């Protein structure tokens, strides 16, 4: 499965990455070799093999519904680039997919 | 929009409607993947931690209670419960999700393949079954406030404020098959689902506060066609009426587009309750490219069938069963039984009152609840839990009327006062000296005086104008300041006039 430049641009858009043309060229080649490796795996006969949901052979790790203290608001906001002291402050959303 | 316009459109087109219903599991004490408390509102960003803020290195651990509530929801709607299940990541970029992905479920939801039968319309209505594709569990998003634009909308905003208190709240999403055909069916389905969730105790299902949110996928096709039309997804309905009206609007809008030779565009549309219309949301995003993959931070689930059976034992009596029991045990009309059983808090109120007053007075209790009490709640826009009226008060007022201590009319006055003050009916009756007079001798004395004072009317009555009985009853009641037992007054007057 060959990857095209337009695939790379599409994925970059979904990931909100602004790539230069050179980067698109480089990444098309690099991602192409990654997918080439996946292609080799795709050719394996996996009849009767269950998909691996997780590399650890564990199931059912859950917690009880019990409140534990979280962060103070001050701590929560301390690493935010901007806040109004109560909420995270973010710039205008352009090209917003939807309104809330 | 005129009702007949919808009927005219539905005569030519068949509407195909599916619902997506998100319900916050407000019964859960903590969030889906961390120990922060679940609550509504509050000071922004005061119920947050590294997990629900999506800080690097924080690891989610699923809340077992939330999974159990979801399985219960599935069992109550006839779903198959998956013994092998897991969470997936759903990627999208929006600032209300701090991780830039939402932990949700993809091809292995906890519940699938269910159904729910609904009754549409009252007596003379019909039944139809709506398939339930799946119920899965995910985390709710944070809330954003857009500042600088008009009415808090994005358009024109200079910046936005993000509050993550809600982020991570357990959110159950139910998706129906496209089996719904009319706005009324959509409303009936959502109502019934809400009554079941309330009976299970999963959520407060408050549509205005957003703990239950209903989106509708709507398309239309010419009657007789088998190919599906292009659908739109309608959002932002915060009441059952809004759901009904938005779906009705959308059906007619699509018919207008098709009738005008146009094509319906697949899009998300926003219901504006004020303008009573839907409008399209411009979207530059290829919104459905979510790139799901298994959540590597959590291991999968392998459930034991016995665990599912043990949850099934926790299923309470559901609204339909409750309704049938009210009909069988108390002889309530089906309509009354359905109304009382649909709302869990109301059903509990009713049963507590019946417990006190006795099953033979259930009908009267139902009448008070669906009459005076419902009218008052409607007028105040209140819930039954908000009023000062408690079940023992309804039981007492019914007993006062049934035992003849007060008249039906007096009871209404007592009810009004009790609703204001929260005082017991007996105390109100006592204080107002409102006791009904059923004593025949006392009434006869007043009646004799009234007849004597109105000889012309007495003559007319005796000459055949029997409608004058109302005049005499009114006069006696006035003399007795409304405290005469109307039935006894009536009997006494007839006997004296005709004897």
């Amino acid at each position: 499965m060959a990857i095209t430049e337009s695939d790379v641009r599409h994925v970059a858009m979904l990931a909100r990455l602004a790539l230069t043309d050179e980067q698109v060229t480089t990444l098309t080649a690099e991602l192409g070799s990654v997918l080439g490796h996946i292609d080799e795996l795709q050719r394996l006969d996996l009849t009767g093999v269950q998909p691996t949901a997780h590399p650890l052979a564990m199931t059912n790790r859950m917690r009880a519904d019990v409140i534990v203290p979280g962060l103070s608001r001050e701590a929560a906001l301390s690493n935010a680039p901007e806040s109004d002291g109560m909420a995270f402050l973010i710039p205008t959303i352009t090209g917003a997919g939807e309104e809330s | 929009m005129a009702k007949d316009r919808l009927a005219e459109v539905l005569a030519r087109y068949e509407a195909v409607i599916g619902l997506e219903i998100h319900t916050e599991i407000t019964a859960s004490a903590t969030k889906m993947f961390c120990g922060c408390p679940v609550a509504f509102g509050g000071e922004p960003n005061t119920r947050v931690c590294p997990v629900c803020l999506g800080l690097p290195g924080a690891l989610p651990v699923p809340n077992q209670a939330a999974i159990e509530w979801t399985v219960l929801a599935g069992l109550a709607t006839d779903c198959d419960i998956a013994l092998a299940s897991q969470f997936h990541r759903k990627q999208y970029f929006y600032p209300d999700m701090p991780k830039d992905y939402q932990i949700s479920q993809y091809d292995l939801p906890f519940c699938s393949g269910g159904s729910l039968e609904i009754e549409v319309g009252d007596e003379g209505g019909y039944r139809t079954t709506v398939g339930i594709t799946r119920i899965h569990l995910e985390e709710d998003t944070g809330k954003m406030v857009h500042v600088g634009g008009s009415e808090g909308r994005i358009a024109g905003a200079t910046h936005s404020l993000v509050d993550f208190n809600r982020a991570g709240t357990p959110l159950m999403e139910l998706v129906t098959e496209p089996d719904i055909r009319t706005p009324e069916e959509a409303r009936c389905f959502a109502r019934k689902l809400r009554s079941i969730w309330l009976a299970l105790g999963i959520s407060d299902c408050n549509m205005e506060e957003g703990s239950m949110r209903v989106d509708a996928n709507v398309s239309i096709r010419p009657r007789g066609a088998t190919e599906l039309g292009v659908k739109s997804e309608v959002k932002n309905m915060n009441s059952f009426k809004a759901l009904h009206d938005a779906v009705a609007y959308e059906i007619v809008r699509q018919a207008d587009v098709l009738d005008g030779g146009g094509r319906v565009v697949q899009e998300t549309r926003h219901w504006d309750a004020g303008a009573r219309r839907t409008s399209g949301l411009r979207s530059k995003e290829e919104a459905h490219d979510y790139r799901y993959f298994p959540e590597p931070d959590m291991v999968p689930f392998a459930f034991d069938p016995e665990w599912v059976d043990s949850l099934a034992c926790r299923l309470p009596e559901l609204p339909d069963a409750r309704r049938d029991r009210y009909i069988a045990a108390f002889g309530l009309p089906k309509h009354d039984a359905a109304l009382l059983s649909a709302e869990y808090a109301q059903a509990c109120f009713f049963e507590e009152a019946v417990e006190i007053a006795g099953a033979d007075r259930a009908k009267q209790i139902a009448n008070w609840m669906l009459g005076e009490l419902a009218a008052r709640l409607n007028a105040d826009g209140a819930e039954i839990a908000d009023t000062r009226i408690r079940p023992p008060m309804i039981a007492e007022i019914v007993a006062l009327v049934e035992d003849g201590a007060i008249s039906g009319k007096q009871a209404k006055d007592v009810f009004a006062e009790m609703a204001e003050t929260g005082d017991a009916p007996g105390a109100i009756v006592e204080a107002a000296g409102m006791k009904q007079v059923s004593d025949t001798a006392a009434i006869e004395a007043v009646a004799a005086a009234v007849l004597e004072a109105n000889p012309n009317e007495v003559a007319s009555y005796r000459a055949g104008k029997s409608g004058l009985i109302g005049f005499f009853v009114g006069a006696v009641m006035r003399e007795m300041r409304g405290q005469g037992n109307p039935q006894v007054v009536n009997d006494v007057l007839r006997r004296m006039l005709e004897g």
Side-chain angles (χ1 to χ4, degrees):
Chain A
M1 188 180 82
I3 188 167
T4 64
E5 290 205 353
S6 94
D7 291 333
V8 171
R9 287 184 199 282
H10 174 68
V11 173
M13 195 275 293
L14 290 174
R16 300 294 187 276
L17 295 174
L19 300 182
T20 64
D21 288 349
E22 287 110 86
Q23 284 173 314
V24 169
T25 311
T26 319
L27 283 167
T28 304
E30 287 179 357
L31 289 172
S33 75
V34 172
L35 287 174
H37 178 63
I38 300 290
D39 242 11
E40 277 178 43
L41 299 179
Q42 297 275 38
R43 280 197 290 274
L44 298 174
D45 179 10
L46 299 175
T47 323
V49 179
Q50 283 291 312
T52 304
H54 199 276
L56 299 179
M58 274 198 287
T59 54
N60 300 348
R61 306 316 289 241
M62 291 177 267
R63 64 181 176 83
D65 187 21
V66 176
I67 294 173
V68 286
L71 294 175
S72 69
R73 177 157 69 188
E74 195 187 3
L77 296 174
S78 61
N79 287 325
E82 270 190 276
S83 84
D84 69 350
M86 292 185 290
F88 294 86
L89 201 153
I90 57 167
T92 325
I93 309 155
T94 51
E98 56 187 292
E99 299 191 20
S100 73
Chain B
M1 178 187 36
K3 233 185 182 158
D4 46 1
R5 176 83 177 98
L6 176 68
E8 184 274 316
V9 165
L10 285 178
R12 293 183 292 126
Y13 291 100
E14 180 182 48
V16 177
I17 302 157
L19 300 179
E20 289 175 19
I21 301 181
H22 286 88
T23 311
E24 287 180 347
I25 302 181
T26 56
S28 175
T30 65
K31 292 186 179 180
M32 189 60 234
F33 301 111
C34 63
C36 290
V38 166
F40 177 73
E43 282 288 301
N45 296 301
T46 51
R47 297 191 301 273
V48 292
C49 77
V51 172
C52 57
L53 287 176
L55 299 186
L59 287 173
V61 186
N63 179 342
Q64 179 166 348
I67 294 172
E68 291 177 359
W69 289 117
T70 305
V71 170
L72 273 173
L75 290 170
T77 49
D78 230 3
C79 286
D80 297 324
I81 307 304
L83 296 180
S85 186
Q86 71 182 126
F87 285 105
H88 271 71
R89 287 188 183 178
K90 176 182 179 178
Q91 336 282 325
Y92 68 90
F93 286 82
Y94 205 63
D96 60 3
M97 284 303 304
K99 298 188 292 293
D100 284 340
Y101 60 84
Q102 178 186 31
I103 303 176
S104 180
Q105 293 192 285
Y106 184 50
D107 56 349
L108 295 169
F110 288 124
C111 319
S112 61
S115 67
L116 191 60
E117 189 186 61
I118 54 171
E119 283 174 51
V120 187
D122 266 347
E123 314 296 323
Y126 62 96
R127 287 161 182 252
T128 183
T129 299
V130 177
I132 292 170
T133 315
R134 57 189 282 154
I135 308 175
H136 71 251
L137 193 51
E138 57 190 28
E139 51 178 342
D140 207 351
T141 61
K143 276 187 171 175
M144 299 211 297
V145 177
H146 307 297
V147 184
S150 60
E151 295 167 20
R153 303 282 288 266
I154 282 180
T158 54
H159 60 277
S160 303
L161 298 169
V162 192
D163 169 12
F164 289 115
N165 279 346
R166 193 181 70 178
T169 297
L171 189 65
M172 211 170 63
E173 179 175 349
L174 177 146
V175 181
T176 76
E177 292 291 307
D179 291 342
I180 295 168
R181 292 290 173 267
T182 67
E184 190 54 38
E185 288 179 16
R187 170 155 61 188
C188 289
F189 180 89
R191 271 218 179 108
K192 178 142 189 189
L193 198 68
R194 179 174 183 271
S195 75
I196 293 173
W197 287 177
L198 289 172
L200 293 174
I202 292 177
S203 174
D204 57 21
C205 295
N206 185 325
M207 292 180 78
E208 272 181 38
E209 290 180 358
S211 56
M212 180 170 168
R213 313 196 277 270
V214 185
D215 301 334
N217 287 304
V218 181
S219 69
I220 62 171
R221 60 185 170 193
R223 289 262 161 209
T226 49
E227 199 182 329
L228 289 169
V230 177
K231 67 177 180 184
S232 57
E233 184 178 8
V234 193
K235 290 175 175 279
N236 194 43
M237 290 83 83
N238 66 358
S239 66
F240 294 116
K241 184 178 187 309
L243 168 65
H244 173 277
D245 293 354
V247 170
Y249 177 88
E250 195 53 26
I251 291 169
V252 171
R253 185 193 69 84
Q254 292 184 9
D256 287 343
V257 169
L258 295 181
D259 290 348
R263 291 172 54 185
V264 175
V265 184
Q266 179 158 351
E267 62 181 344
T268 300
R269 296 181 68 87
H270 192 269
W271 171 248
D272 182 337
R276 304 184 48 74
R277 60 190 297 273
T278 64
S279 54
L281 299 174
R282 268 193 312 254
S283 174
K284 289 183 187 169
E285 181 163 14
E286 276 123 294
H288 296 291
D289 204 343
Y290 291 131
R291 294 157 294 145
Y292 283 95
F293 66 81
E295 167 57 79
D297 285 346
M298 282 180 279
V299 297
F301 301 98
F303 296 130
D304 189 338
E306 281 163 27
W307 175 75
V308 177
D309 291 345
S310 75
L311 287 175
C313 293
R314 267 171 55 186
L315 276 179
E317 183 183 42
L318 294 176
D320 279 359
R322 194 180 285 270
R323 177 200 61 199
D324 295 345
R325 178 164 62 84
Y326 288 177
I327 296 169
F330 306 134
L332 294 192
K334 188 177 172 193
H335 178 260
D336 294 5
L339 280 176
L340 287 170
S341 55
E343 192 87 15
Y344 183 67
Q346 184 163 271
C348 293
F349 187 109
F350 170 71
E351 291 186 24
E352 194 182 331
V354 170
E355 181 73 22
I356 298 165
D360 55 327
R361 286 173 175 173
K363 181 81 191 74
Q364 286 81 356
I365 287 167
N367 288 344
W368 277 101
M369 288 185 61
L370 298 173
E372 297 294 307
L373 181 55
R376 180 161 286 265
L377 293 178
N378 265 341
D380 299 347
E383 299 287 330
I384 204 157
D386 304 335
T387 71
R388 312 189 72 150
I389 299 169
R390 305 313 324 145
M393 294 153 79
I394 297 286
E396 190 180 347
I397 207 166
V398 166
L400 287 167
V401 175
E402 291 298 299
D403 299 342
I406 56 173
S407 69
K409 192 185 165 304
Q410 287 173 321
K412 290 195 176 181
D413 296 337
V414 171
F415 183 93
E417 184 159 345
M418 149 179 127
E420 290 303 322
T421 61
D423 292 342
I428 294 168
V429 166
E430 199 79 19
M434 218 185 235
K435 287 278 186 188
Q436 172 171 266
V437 179
S438 302
D439 173 22
T440 311
I443 291 173
E444 275 173 356
V446 179
V450 165
L451 296 191
E452 200 176 316
N454 299 285
N456 294 338
E457 284 75 9
V458 171
S460 300
Y461 181 91
R462 287 181 173 145
K465 283 189 75 177
S466 58
L468 278 170
I469 188 72
F471 163 80
F472 294 116
V473 170
V476 171
M477 290 299 269
R478 257 194 311 284
E479 283 296 313
M480 299 184 71
R481 297 197 317 281
Q483 292 179 27
N485 178 330
Q487 195 53 52
V488 180
V489 169
N490 222 295
D491 292 347
V492 164
L493 278 166
R494 282 185 198 277
R495 202 173 60 239
M496 293 174 77
L497 283 161
E498 283 157 27

